[in-house]
């Protein structure tokens, strides 16, 4: 990709603008596509507003950076990243937070591969950037709210017969788990006896 190929991407200024744009985008999609009220997502967007991080660096963000979206050579080297449709310019912590969401994790391993501390250390070594744990947490919350919004959008598309993809009915079942993960990331205790 040439630098001129990036001209179509809106360039946010350093500071809080990258986080602000990401919140505005996903809250807008949630408000447009929701079928009913969702107090947990509403609370998550309010939490994000109150925790806006600053960045001094704006980079290309893949926005779906995780295991499952790359090709490798079988010897440990990634040869290509897939699924660039959400790419934009923003805070590099956004990709780090998305990959480190509890949703993609398994057995305490980020993307089922590495413990968080090792994952972050490797990211720092590969990028030359120092990870900010508060920004990482912010983008984990944003990523989880984004994933929940994507699931709700899929359910709405199925309900309104814009698609007949049967897996979208199952995708809606993810929201209980995602809601619980959002509450944990925001340090909000779930209501005793509540089901997800």
């Amino acid at each position: 990709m040439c630098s001129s190929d990036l001209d179509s991407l809106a360039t946010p200024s350093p500071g809080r603008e990258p986080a602000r744009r990401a919140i505005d985008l996903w809250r807008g999609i949630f408000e447009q596509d929701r079928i009913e009220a969702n107090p947990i997502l509403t609370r998550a967007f309010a939490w994000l507003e109150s925790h806006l991080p600053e960045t001094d660096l704006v980079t290309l963000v893949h926005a779906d950076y995780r295991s499952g979206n790359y090709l490798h050579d079988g010897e440990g080297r990634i040869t290509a990243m897939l699924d660039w449709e959400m790419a934009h310019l923003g805070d590099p912590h956004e990709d780090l937070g998305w990959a480190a969401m509890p949703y993609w994790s398994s057995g305490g391993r980020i993307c089922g591969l590495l413990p968080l501390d090792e994952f972050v250390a490797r990211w720092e070594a590969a990028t030359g950037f120092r990870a900010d744990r508060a920004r990482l947490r912010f983008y984990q919350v944003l990523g989880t709210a984004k994933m929940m919004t994507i699931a709700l959008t899929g359910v709405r598309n199925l309900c309104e017969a814009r698609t007949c993809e049967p897996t979208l009915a199952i995708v809606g079942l993810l929201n209980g788990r995602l809601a619980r993960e959002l509450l944990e990331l925001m340090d909000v205790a779930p209501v005793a006896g509540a089901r997800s």
Side-chain angles (χ1 to χ4, degrees), residues 1 69 72 86 106 116 128 135 148 156 193:
M1 181 179 287
N69 272 348
H72 62 91
M86 293 190 291
S106 175
L116 178 62
R135 281 166 56 197
M148 201 167 170
R156 180 171 182 160

Side-chain angles (χ1 to χ4, degrees), residues 30 37-46 145 148 175-176 178-180 182-183 186:
F30 161 63
N38 189 310
I40 293 174
L41 259 179
T42 300
R43 186 172 190 166
F45 285 114
M148 201 167 170
N175 282 318
L178 291 165
R180 188 173 53 254
L182 265 176
L183 293 172
M186 295 184 297

Side-chain angles (χ1 to χ4, degrees), residues 102 137 177-190:
R137 182 172 170 223
R177 173 186 172 181
L178 291 165
R180 188 173 53 254
E181 290 170 357
L182 265 176
L183 293 172
E184 289 171 2
L185 286 165
M186 295 184 297
D187 287 330
V188 176

